[in-house]
Structure formats: structure tokens, C-alpha cells
Amino acid sequence: MAVINCNIYSPALRCKTDVTVVLPFYSYEDITAGKRDDIFPTGKKYQVLWLLHGGNGNDQDYINYTNVVRYATDHMLAVVMPTGYNMNTDDQDPGMKMCTYIGEELPKMMRDVFPLSDKREDNFIGGLSMGSNGAQKVAIRYPENYSAVLAMSAGSFFPIPKSAGGDRKRFETGMPMPPHKPNEMEENMEILKQDIADGKQLPKFFMIWGEKDIARLGQSNSVKFLEEQGCDVYAEEVPGLGHEWDLWDRTLRKAFNELLPLKHDLVD
């Protein structure tokens, strides 16, 4: 297993930026037992989880607060974790183009350096809180690139209007974050509907939040909207947990073990 810290220049972000990559190897046990003679075989590629952190975080959060390295190693899944700069994965004009960076630029850069599959069936995008919003946002703008979305503790689709009691305001946490687009959620809804009208294949949405989660209402309403559009949705509310790392580590473990369509090996 290798944990690789990258510092790259991004034209979309107009700055240098950090990315952490987890690349699993065949296990020591397999090597010593004679099952394999290559710890890092050539000619093969990895399935990939593009994993976005939450507000006020960075590319090291999952390394520091979860067992993602062990899960990735156990299941032979590469994990790419970029830094998001509290940008809510938006394209600012003028300014950073974070959505373009995550959806277009980062995959090309990483595949130029690492043996990562570019097949839709081998690519998944996920995140927690702000990163979960970003994962859904990128997935519906580039549905041809991802077969699954792992959305932890967030809601990017909120179909209930203010007149019906819906509250579209972001929780005010004091984060140094650019203002969200005024009609961000409506824009996401319209893009998803247009994807469906255009006959595009959408990824499966795995939507998981805690019973005490500050994102509980937003994500449960997002589930309702997605199901109404005919999307393939897995939804789970975890009893007793809130907006916290215990929830997100548990969810990652379940995603690797049960939810994501993993092949548990390198791919052609």
C-alpha cells in the first residue's frame, strides 16, 4: 500500500494544490504464500473512488480520521482525495473553477500519472457534508464518468419551496466560504432532470446520514426528489449518530464491503 502526497498546478484553480492518493498493493500475505510474485503488476489498472472532504477540511482528513487506507487496501480500490478550499465545489466567475477541476482536470492529471481506470463502471465519487454536495454536483454534470455516488451527510436537491416551509439557507458555521449560488439547489434539480430528458445514464446514489445529523432534513428531502425522478437510490438513516466521523468511517466501511460495485482486484 502507498499513500502518496501530490502537489500539482491546476489551471482550473489557478494555483498549486494538494492531492492525496491511496494505491493498494497485493497483500504481503499473498506474496509470502506464493500466490503472487508481483506486488504492483503492470498492465492493470485500479477502480477509483474520488473522495471529497467536508467544510474546513483538506486532502488529509480521511487519512487522519478514518480507516480509509485499510479499507482501500483490503478491497484493491484506489482513493483520490483532493483539497476543496471550502469552495462548495462551485465554479466561480471570476475565480477558482472547482467543479471543472474535480470533474475534468483532476481525473486526467491523475490518470496521466497513476494506473487508474477511465471506465465508468470503475469510477465512483463520494464525499461528506460539503464534499457530499460536491460529489452529487459533479456526478450529475458528468454522469458519463461515474457509476455510483456516495453521499454522506448532505443534500444537494431540496424540492420543497419556501412557501411550503422549506428552508434553503446554509447553516451558518462561520466558515470562510464563498457564498453559495442563490439558486444552487434548483440548478442541480434542473440539470438532473435534463440528464434524464436527454437519456443519460445516471449513477446510483448511496445516500447515508445520521439520525442526529444537521443534514438530516436536506438529505432526506434529496432522497425524495431523486426517487420521484426515477433515480436508483439507496437511503439509510443511521440511529444515534450525527454529523461526525464515527458515522462517516462506518459508512466508508459499509460502502467498501457492501454498497459500491467493487471488483476487489485490479482491472483491465
Side-chain angles (χ1 to χ4, degrees), residues 29-47:
E29 289 77 11
D30 283 349
I31 300 295
T32 56
K35 295 180 182 179
R36 302 205 64 88
D37 59 6
D38 50 354
I39 193 168
F40 190 71
T42 59
K44 295 282 189 176
K45 296 184 178 181
Y46 290 95
Q47 291 187 289

Side-chain angles (χ1 to χ4, degrees), residues 19-20 22 48-54 58-63 66 68-69 77-84 102 106 124-128 131-132 135 146 150-152 245 248 252 256 260:
V19 184
T20 296
V22 177
V48 191
L49 173 61
W50 307 88
L51 191 57
L52 312 183
H53 64 76
N58 65 16
D59 61 304
Q60 291 289 302
D61 279 10
Y62 290 100
I63 302 294
T66 77
V68 69
V69 173
L77 179 71
V79 183
V80 179
M81 295 163 283
T83 295
I102 298 296
L106 181 66
F124 325 109
I125 188 165
L128 65 87
S132 177
Y146 309 98
L150 179 63
M152 302 181 284
W245 284 105
W248 302 323
L252 284 174
F256 279 69
L260 296 177

Side-chain angles (χ1 to χ4, degrees), residues 110-174:
M110 293 294 101
R111 289 170 186 149
D112 285 346
V113 178
F114 302 110
L116 307 179
S117 174
D118 62 358
K119 295 179 180 178
R120 182 180 187 272
E121 66 192 61
D122 295 329
N123 281 267
F124 325 109
I125 188 165
L128 65 87
S129 194
M130 179 190 75
S132 177
N133 286 331
Q136 295 171 86
K137 191 178 300 185
V138 172
I140 63 172
R141 286 160 174 79
Y142 304 92
E144 67 280 2
N145 293 343
Y146 309 98
S147 62
V149 181
L150 179 63
M152 302 181 284
S153 297
S156 280
F157 310 94
F158 203 116
I160 301 178
K162 290 182 179 179
S163 60
D167 181 5
R168 296 163 184 261
K169 293 182 179 179
R170 175 170 59 88
F171 287 98
E172 183 50 62
T173 62

Side-chain angles (χ1 to χ4, degrees), residues 249-263:
D249 183 63
R250 173 198 183 278
T251 301
L252 284 174
R253 183 173 67 251
K254 183 167 185 173
F256 279 69
N257 286 329
E258 303 174 28
L259 302 180
L260 296 177
L262 303 186
K263 297 173 182 175

